[in-house]
Amino acid sequence: MKKALITTLTTLAITMAAQAQNIAITGGTIYTQTNQGVIENGMLLLKDGKVEKVTETINVPDGYQTIDATGKVVTPGLVGAMTSLGLVEVESWAGVVDASVDKTQLSNTGLAFDVSYAINPDSTLLDVSRIEGVTSAATTISYTDYLFHGQGSVITLQGDQPVLRPRAFTVLDLTGHAAEQTGGSRAALWVTLNQLFSEAAQISKIPGPAEQWYGLTTRADIPALQNIINGKMPLILEADRKADILQILTLKQQYPDIRIVLMGAAEAWRVADKLANNNIAVILNPEHNLPSSFEALGATLENAGRLEKAGVTVAIGMETHNIRLATQHAGNAVANGLSHAAGIASITSAPASILGMQDTIGALAAGMRGDVVIWSGDPLQVTEYAEQVFINGEAIDMQSRQTLLRDRYKALYKQSDKPTSHYIIPAQ
């Protein structure tokens, strides 16, 4: 039965991708991620690439193509909380990896770099991710010896112009790795960081080329740093150990306008109340349950659940090549104490809010992007999957290089009396 539905929806996708239409998705369980909550047997209307309305009654207007989602689950498209999508390719790629930046004269901190110039919408990782329900993502530099990982973008995973918001956030590494790159100790790392912030806060205008400048930053770094201090750009701080997180809270007291988000956060549960009181959200990997270093001795599968109970917003989805596993990770977090509602939010509305995109993506409300997923069942169950994905109101082609490889070897298997691989055709 499911196979027949997949075939129907795939055919539908090919047809509608070529001709955008007004669409009515009826009969499913709709997670709006708004004050409307979860609507059973509701109706979602898509028009002109956006959500037109979500209702509890099914009354399809004239001119809408109807998709029966009875017995299925409908959610907003998933939002990758932190990735390098569009900046990297498959592992064997021999070309430039735009997610990695070496030392240049342009910057002393890494703040000046702008990844929006480097995003490739033809990356094969995008189609692999979007057929699994990921429709948008935060993307930025993943490796650099600089403190800051440039100015990241929020992107959509469909179309030739993927950037939804350039210079949307920046990531600052405050782990032991960063300390090694900054004098070999946090004693140097934090003094450097405090000096950078103090310097930028005192500058009323960017020094011109003819003016002398003796600061730690470069002229190109200063505007981004000032946008962080005045709260125009979220600052995502990567740290695991409790002591580092407490230093971050001190930084928040010094600069109260900074929009701080904590990332990694293996020991965040130990200061959950303080994070909640300071309205600091957390992006974490709920699979992190072992003391992989002295910075994460308190790692636990219950991290997400404990943070939620304290009132902290939790987002899940920190991988690039396997961002499609975010639903599985959220499901495991639910199995270890996170509520189901927060599990759905952790991969949709929570990352959208953290990125300042809550009016555009991550929820199903009138005027928001038509990014929608029809699931075979509860997306937090590993046996369920995305049957059809809509991006910007259009049903996408549910095909990727991986599905093409699967189909190729299935065909070869059928043509040969002696199978040449260990691939086992699933039961029909």
Side-chain angles (χ1 to χ4, degrees), residues 368-389:
M368 298 186 72
R369 279 177 61 90
D371 293 353
V372 184
V373 184
I374 300 176
W375 302 89
S376 60
D378 183 351
L380 303 190
Q381 297 285 343
V382 293
T383 55
E384 308 296 347
Y385 52 89
E387 289 190 351
Q388 183 58 61
V389 177

Side-chain angles (χ1 to χ4, degrees), residues 6 30 33 64 82 94 106 120 157 296 349 414 417:
I6 294 171
I30 304 174
Q33 301 308 112
Y64 284 73
M82 187 55 60
L106 174 68
N120 177 13
L157 271 62
S349 53
K414 291 179 178 178
D417 293 333

Side-chain angles (χ1 to χ4, degrees), residues 33-300:
Q33 301 308 112
T34 69
N35 291 334
Q36 284 190 282
V38 180
I39 299 175
E40 300 287 349
N41 193 31
M43 179 178 72
L44 167 66
L45 297 181
L46 297 176
K47 182 177 182 180
D48 299 330
K50 298 183 180 299
V51 175
E52 184 180 17
K53 68 168 65 173
V54 185
T55 68
E56 297 181 356
T57 57
I58 299 177
N59 184 16
V60 180
D62 292 338
Y64 284 73
Q65 182 161 352
T66 301
I67 299 175
D68 184 3
T70 302
K72 304 182 186 306
V73 171
V74 180
T75 73
L78 306 186
V79 181
M82 187 55 60
T83 76
S84 291
L85 286 172
L87 302 173
V88 296
E89 257 298 343
V90 294
E91 296 290 347
S92 58
W93 172 250
V96 171
V97 178
D98 290 299
S100 177
V101 176
D102 297 326
K103 290 288 185 181
T104 77
Q105 293 182 341
L106 174 68
S107 174
N108 291 336
T109 67
L111 269 165
F113 306 136
D114 184 348
V115 305
S116 66
Y117 293 107
I119 295 166
N120 177 13
D122 291 330
S123 166
T124 58
L125 291 182
L126 298 189
D127 55 14
V128 171
S129 302
R130 65 180 173 237
I131 68 170
E132 302 284 352
V134 182
T135 58
S136 58
T139 188
T140 195
I141 295 164
S142 58
Y143 182 79
T144 178
D145 288 337
Y146 287 104
L147 273 177
F148 293 87
H149 289 206
Q151 298 172 73
S153 293
V154 180
I155 63 170
T156 176
L157 271 62
Q158 177 86 329
D160 293 334
Q161 296 181 323
V163 178
L164 296 178
R165 178 173 293 174
R167 300 172 294 283
F169 63 93
T170 191
V171 175
L172 170 60
D173 186 356
L174 292 176
T175 65
H177 170 76
E180 289 177 356
Q181 302 300 323
T182 312
S185 167
R186 287 174 174 82
L189 169 66
W190 275 96
V191 173
T192 302
L193 187 61
N194 288 331
Q195 181 64 27
L196 291 173
F197 276 80
S198 175
E199 189 176 282
Q202 295 178 42
I203 297 174
S204 58
K205 72 178 186 68
I206 311 300
E211 297 176 271
Q212 291 183 324
W213 171 244
Y214 302 105
L216 289 179
T217 55
T218 66
R219 293 177 174 84
D221 289 327
I222 294 171
L225 192 51
Q226 291 182 328
N227 283 339
I228 291 171
I229 293 173
N230 61 29
K232 291 182 178 179
M233 182 163 61
L235 175 62
I236 300 176
L237 297 171
E238 185 175 8
D240 280 318
R241 75 179 192 179
K242 176 183 173 182
D244 290 338
I245 297 171
L246 290 174
Q247 290 291 354
I248 289 170
L249 291 169
T250 300
L251 180 69
K252 174 68 175 176
Q253 292 174 354
Q254 289 179 272
Y255 300 95
D257 292 335
I258 296 181
R259 295 159 58 195
I260 288 179
V261 178
L262 186 61
M263 185 170 72
E267 295 190 344
W269 63 271
R270 297 180 65 190
V271 289
D273 290 342
K274 291 183 173 60
L275 292 172
N277 291 338
N278 284 278
N279 196 29
I280 294 178
V282 174
I283 303 171
L284 56 78
N285 175 4
E287 307 292 287
H288 194 177
N289 68 326
L290 295 174
S292 56
S293 70
F294 279 107
E295 299 182 23
L297 293 177
T300 170

Side-chain angles (χ1 to χ4, degrees), residues 314-355:
V314 174
I316 292 171
M318 294 174 56
E319 297 188 40
T320 298
H321 290 271
N322 288 311
I323 189 62
R324 55 187 170 166
L325 299 181
T327 53
Q328 179 180 338
H329 293 170
N332 286 343
V334 170
N336 289 278
L338 189 69
S339 71
H340 188 275
I344 296 292
S346 72
I347 51 179
T348 55
S349 53
S353 177
I354 286 171
L355 298 167

